[in-house]
C-alpha cells in the first residue's frame, strides 16, 4: 500500500523526482521535516498535519532506540560520526564534536519551530571537489527547554544517509 503524499514528502521523496520542500505545520512554525517515520502510536498519524494536531510534547511518541554507533554519509564520505546520537521526531542529531567541520559551511538561513526554537543551517561542501548541497544540515544553537537534549546538535535532510552499527 502506498503512503499518503504528506508522509512521502516527510520521507524526502516525491513522485515527480523533485526535492521536497519542508512541510508547513498547522501551527506557525516550520520545523525541518522528518527523514523517516518512526515512533508514532496507532492513534496519531506521522504526517505533518498529524504532528501539529498532536503537539510536540505528545506522550504517545515513544523514545527512539538508537544504535551504539552511527555515521552520517554524504557522497560516500563520512561527515559525522558518534556513539551518542540524539533522536527527535525521527531525525538523528549528532553532537557538534562529531562533525567533520571541513564539510560544513554556515549560511544565514533560519527557520522557527514552535517547541524547539530557531534552526540555523549549513551547506555541505566537499573539500576536495567543491561540490555543494545547499542547506542540508540544521541545528538549534539555543533551544527551548523541551529540546535541551539537542542544543547545538546537527541533523540532516535525506541527501545524507545514516549508517548504524
Amino acid at each position: 500500500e502506498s503512503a499518503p503524499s504528506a508522509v512521502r514528502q516527510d520521507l524526502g521523496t516525491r513522485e515527480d523526482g523533485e526535492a521536497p520542500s519542508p512541510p508547513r505545520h498547522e501551527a506557525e512554525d516550520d520545523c525541518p521535516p522528518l527523514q523517516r517515520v518512526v515512533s508514532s502510536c496507532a492513534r496519531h498519524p506521522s504526517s505533518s498535519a498529524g504532528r501539529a494536531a498532536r503537539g510536540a510534547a505528545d506522550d504517545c511518541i515513544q523514545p527512539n532506540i538508537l544504535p551504539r554507533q552511527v555515521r552520517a554519509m554524504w557522497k560516500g564520505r563520512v561527515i559525522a560520526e558518534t556513539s551518542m546520537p540524539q533522536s527527535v521526531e525521527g531525525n538523528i542529531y549528532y553532537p557538534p564534536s562529531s562533525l567533520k567541520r571541513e564539510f560544513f559551511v554556515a549560511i544565514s538561513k533560519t527557520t522557527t519551530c514552535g517547541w524547539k526554537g530557531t534552526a540555523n543551517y549549513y551547506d555541505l561542501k566537499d573539500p576536495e571537489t567543491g561540490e555543494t548541497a545547499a542547506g542540508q544540515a540544521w541545528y538549534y544553537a539555543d533551544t527551548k527547554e523541551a529540546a535541551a537534549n539537542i542544543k547545538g546538535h546537527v541533523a540532516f535532510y535525506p541527501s545524507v544517509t545514516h549508517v548504524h552499527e
Side-chain angles (χ1 to χ4, degrees):
E1 182 176 330
S2 176
S5 297
V7 174
R8 277 197 304 273
Q9 183 177 16
D10 286 347
L11 293 171
T13 59
R14 282 188 11 191
E15 290 175 359
D16 62 7
E18 293 295 316
S21 57
R24 294 285 180 195
H25 299 284
E26 299 288 325
E28 291 189 21
D29 66 1
D30 54 353
C31 300
L34 294 174
Q35 292 181 7
R36 55 192 167 90
V37 177
V38 294
S39 305
S40 61
C41 74
R43 290 187 302 149
H44 299 100
S46 293
S47 68
S48 298
R51 285 193 309 278
R54 69 178 182 259
D58 184 10
D59 57 7
C60 290
I61 302 301
Q62 302 300 314
N64 291 309
I65 305 300
L66 294 173
R68 287 189 220 182
Q69 190 73 20
V70 63
R71 285 189 295 275
M73 304 287 295
W74 178 64
K75 303 289 182 186
R77 312 265 307 273
V78 175
I79 62 171
E81 185 170 10
T82 186
S83 60
M84 299 184 328
Q86 295 290 317
S87 180
V88 174
E89 295 183 314
N91 293 306
I92 298 173
Y93 285 81
Y94 292 77
S97 61
S98 71
L99 304 180
K100 299 202 184 261
R101 291 284 176 181
E102 64 271 21
F103 287 94
F104 295 82
V105 178
I107 59 174
S108 62
K109 177 181 178 180
T110 62
T111 57
T112 302
C113 175
W115 74 274
K116 288 180 275 200
T118 299
N120 300 282
Y121 288 79
Y122 290 113
D123 286 348
L124 298 179
K125 184 174 183 178
D126 187 314
E128 292 179 11
T129 67
E131 182 178 358
T132 300
Q136 293 299 294
W138 73 89
Y139 67 98
Y140 296 89
D142 294 306
T143 61
K144 294 187 177 185
E145 187 176 331
N149 64 311
I150 60 167
K151 182 176 182 174
H153 287 54
V154 177
F156 302 95
Y157 281 95
S159 67
V160 174
T161 57
H162 304 280
V163 178
H164 307 258
E165 290 182 10

